[in-house]
Amino acid sequence: MTSPHASRSPLPGHPAAAATAERALDEALACAARLVRPPAPVAEPTPDAAPADARGDLPGPNEATAVPEPESDPEPDDANPGLDLGLGADPEPEPTPDANPGLGLGPDPAPEPDPESDPEPEPARERAPEAAPEAAPPQLSAEQALDEALALVARNPDGGGHRAAGWARAREAAARAGAGRRVRIHRVPLAEALGEVLSEPLAALTDLPSFDTSAMDGWAVSGPGPWAMRPGEGVLAGSERPDPLADGEAVRIATGARVPADTTAVIRSEHARADEDKGRLYAERKVVSGQDIRPRGQECRSGDLLLPAGARVTPAVLGLAAAAGYDVLTTRPRPRVEILVLGDELLTEGLPHDGLIRDALSPMLGPWLGRLGAEVVATRRLGDDPEGAEELYRTLTGSTADLLITTGGTASGPVDHVHPVLSRAGAELLVDGVAVRPGHPMLLARLDEDRHLVGLPGNPLAAVSGLLTLAEPLLRGLAGLGPRPRWTAAVRGDVPGHPHDTRLVPVVLSGDHAVPLRYNGPAMLRGVAVADALAVVPQGGARTGQELEILELPWAVAAGECFT
């Protein structure tokens, strides 16, 4: 039998793709049927017949066990949901008590029906010997062949086949797309540079400090004590250059004031005793030469590199730049984002009723994208009717935003018009579906040389998955930032996995562990609302103590860049 791998040669959109996919699907179904059907009665083998295992008839390693299905993701899937393959149903997990009902900590709840999930094959049964076996190549199980074929018959806007990208590859594609855009820079006053990224190194324009200064309120002294006190109010910050000290002389000095020439040390007020009648100053602790004096250039010398190009401008960076003598900075502007929330079923206020639900994405996406470093220029709602599709097309072709974010309409439903509008606008699909749950129908498209679109699923947690998978790496690339540093944490408790796809599960970080939250369905925000991060669960799930990659939420931790 021909492997479905061999039938994937036509490029997406090629006229032969449909026929190729049909052939691959037929072969995969035939292979699946052979592996799951009961053994047929056969005649007794002759004494010289070869053993079954010698002919390669035993099931392969991937055909022997079934993996439990995870928390349901009721998002539409591009894989043919109407096709009954007869491969068996997924087992439903036993309900377990919630470890912490208030936060939703503990095991996942029993899954809901999942239109996005792939059908799960039953354990393959050992077959009786056959005279002419037609098994798939050893490396290709029925499950794999079926997955290949279903991916080919899924459709993209130009009518060809596509295969959902792996989660890690999708993130890499988004980062490349952002980093590949031509660089734009501008010079802005310090007050307007917050959140932008330096496009050139920040070098010190002066020594810091630029003169010897007192680190404390107290007395500047010269030589050994006791010292004669100089009359007057002393040396204040911002005053003219003070007169030098004579040996054995002391003068009052304020924090930040210029230290007089020939000063040996500064004695803190609380460590000195002044005898006003005799005009003498006594130290109550040992005096060390240079104590409590900040020498010129202690922090940096003029020309020293303070920050490299690519550093994000934080409030502390603004302070450093000002201290180093800057009035303006040369930066890459924050990416400009326009949000388009699609759907006729969304309410902007009040309680859900009559099949209508509250719009949870508009209040969430703008602030979230702002935390990722974007400037949100508009949030608009579009209907699912032809007028909404036409308005989407006008926005795709006319918006000046660097990134358009859409919500919903990315699957293959009767009013899901994102794909057709992208095709009409001549967009290039870079990612069309990602092997991740929730959020499988997300997409990334290049509208032109300078603009991109990220299509998020309409379910709230699925949209969060799309933000972390595609929008965040794209925005970091557009802003000139490198990938976020990767780190892992041991998961506390077993986490169910999807048989084929990555899962993103909200977690609370407790010590060195990531504790999964129960409310992790694609339409649920209860878990992520109290989460610190999302854990990346590989296909098949994770056991307690297993190290999982952690995706921090943008308000839970700093961006991770470190220079010094």
Side-chain angles (χ1 to χ4, degrees):
M1 159 177 151
T2 305
S3 166
H5 288 289
S7 66
R8 293 178 58 206
S9 55
L11 297 173
H14 193 281
T20 299
E22 184 177 348
R23 288 195 302 271
L25 180 60
D26 289 342
E27 292 173 357
L29 292 176
C31 179
R34 285 197 307 276
L35 289 176
V36 300
R37 70 190 178 200
V42 294
E44 288 290 328
T46 58
D48 56 346
D53 57 353
R55 297 195 304 273
D57 289 346
L58 293 180
N62 294 328
E63 303 167 36
T65 57
V67 184
E69 186 67 20
E71 170 71 30
S72 62
D73 301 343
E75 303 162 18
D77 195 345
D78 288 340
N80 193 346
L83 184 63
D84 183 6
L85 301 173
L87 297 184
D90 298 325
E92 187 165 307
E94 297 269 338
T96 51
D98 192 342
N100 188 332
L103 290 180
L105 297 170
D108 295 338
E112 306 163 3
D114 186 3
E116 189 180 331
S117 297
D118 298 319
E120 179 74 14
E122 294 178 352
R125 304 171 181 172
E126 185 173 346
R127 298 177 308 197
E130 297 178 2
E134 298 180 4
Q139 74 277 11
L140 188 67
S141 68
E143 180 181 295
Q144 293 166 327
L146 181 60
D147 187 42
E148 294 278 349
L150 290 178
L152 279 172
V153 296
R155 301 184 60 82
N156 69 13
D158 62 5
H162 81 276
R163 179 172 178 78
W167 179 78
R169 279 197 169 184
R171 281 174 59 84
E172 291 169 3
R176 285 196 306 271
R181 196 191 71 169
R182 58 185 177 181
V183 176
R184 291 191 304 225
I185 62 173
H186 63 177
R187 288 175 59 81
V188 292
L190 291 185
E192 299 175 17
L194 183 64
E196 298 188 351
V197 172
L198 296 176
S199 60
E200 57 186 35
L202 188 74
L205 302 180
T206 183
D207 296 344
L208 286 182
S210 54
F211 47 82
D212 294 349
T213 62
S214 175
M216 292 289 170
D217 293 332
W219 297 84
V221 299
S222 178
W227 300 271
M229 297 188 298
R230 180 185 291 179
E233 64 180 357
V235 184
L236 303 178
S239 62
E240 296 291 329
R241 183 189 297 271
D243 293 333
L245 286 177
D247 189 35
E249 188 179 21
V251 65
R252 286 188 180 274
I253 193 166
T255 301
R258 186 194 298 261
V259 172
D262 300 325
T263 296
T264 302
V266 170
I267 305 174
R268 302 182 187 189
S269 297
E270 61 269 27
H271 297 162
R273 179 174 59 86
D275 186 338
E276 300 290 347
D277 294 336
K278 296 181 179 180
R280 306 292 287 178
L281 179 74
Y282 299 89
E284 296 189 329
R285 294 191 181 183
K286 181 180 179 180
V287 177
V288 178
S289 178
Q291 73 180 31
D292 288 328
I293 295 175
R294 294 186 61 214
R296 176 175 182 165
Q298 181 186 52
E299 185 171 1
C300 66
R301 290 290 185 181
S302 180
D304 283 354
L305 178 64
L306 302 178
L307 289 170
R312 193 191 293 274
V313 179
T314 64
V317 170
L318 292 177
L320 175 63
Y326 285 87
D327 299 316
V328 297
L329 293 175
T330 304
T331 61
R332 295 178 64 158
R334 291 192 294 162
R336 302 171 72 250
V337 178
E338 187 168 354
I339 301 170
L340 304 172
V341 179
L342 312 181
D344 291 330
E345 75 282 12
L346 303 177
L347 296 169
T348 58
E349 60 183 15
L351 294 174
H353 62 86
D354 300 328
L356 303 177
I357 61 174
R358 280 295 298 269
D359 173 16
L361 294 180
S362 294
M364 177 176 71
L365 291 181
W368 195 305
L369 291 163
R371 289 297 187 104
L372 294 178
E375 177 188 355
V376 178
V377 297
T379 299
R380 294 191 290 137
R381 297 176 63 219
L382 304 181
D384 289 327
D385 55 4
E387 177 55 34
E390 191 62 30
E391 179 61 23
L392 177 61
Y393 173 76
R394 288 194 292 267
T395 304
L396 262 60
T397 54
S399 174
T400 59
D402 303 301
L403 173 62
L404 296 174
I405 298 277
T406 63
T407 68
T410 56
S412 303
V415 292
D416 292 338
H417 47 242
V418 172
H419 279 95
V421 171
L422 284 172
S423 179
R424 178 184 170 195
E428 176 188 0
L429 278 171
L430 304 178
V431 175
D432 190 9
V434 178
V436 66
R437 309 298 168 115
H440 182 270
M442 68 181 74
L443 61 85
L444 168 64
R446 180 183 288 117
L447 301 176
D448 55 41
E449 185 178 3
D450 293 318
R451 302 182 305 131
H452 291 81
L453 178 141
V454 169
L456 303 177
N459 277 319
L461 188 57
V464 168
S465 174
L467 285 174
L468 294 175
T469 301
L470 296 178
E472 180 180 0
L474 177 70
L475 287 170
R476 290 181 69 87
L478 291 175
L481 296 168
R484 183 184 289 275
R486 296 180 59 183
W487 64 281
T488 64
V491 67
R492 182 179 295 167
D494 294 348
V495 187
H498 190 276
H500 312 298
D501 298 347
T502 300
R503 286 188 74 204
L504 301 183
V505 177
V507 294
V508 169
L509 301 177
S510 176
D512 295 332
H513 290 83
V515 183
L517 296 163
R518 288 187 59 198
Y519 301 101
N520 53 41
M524 298 179 180
L525 288 175
R526 184 174 172 182
V528 75
V530 296
D532 299 313
L534 269 67
V536 182
V537 181
Q539 60 180 344
R543 295 294 185 186
T544 185
Q546 183 174 337
E547 293 283 329
L548 298 181
E549 183 177 352
I550 299 298
L551 303 176
E552 301 139 327
L553 299 180
W555 51 85
V557 74
E561 290 89 10
C562 179
F563 176 63
T564 57

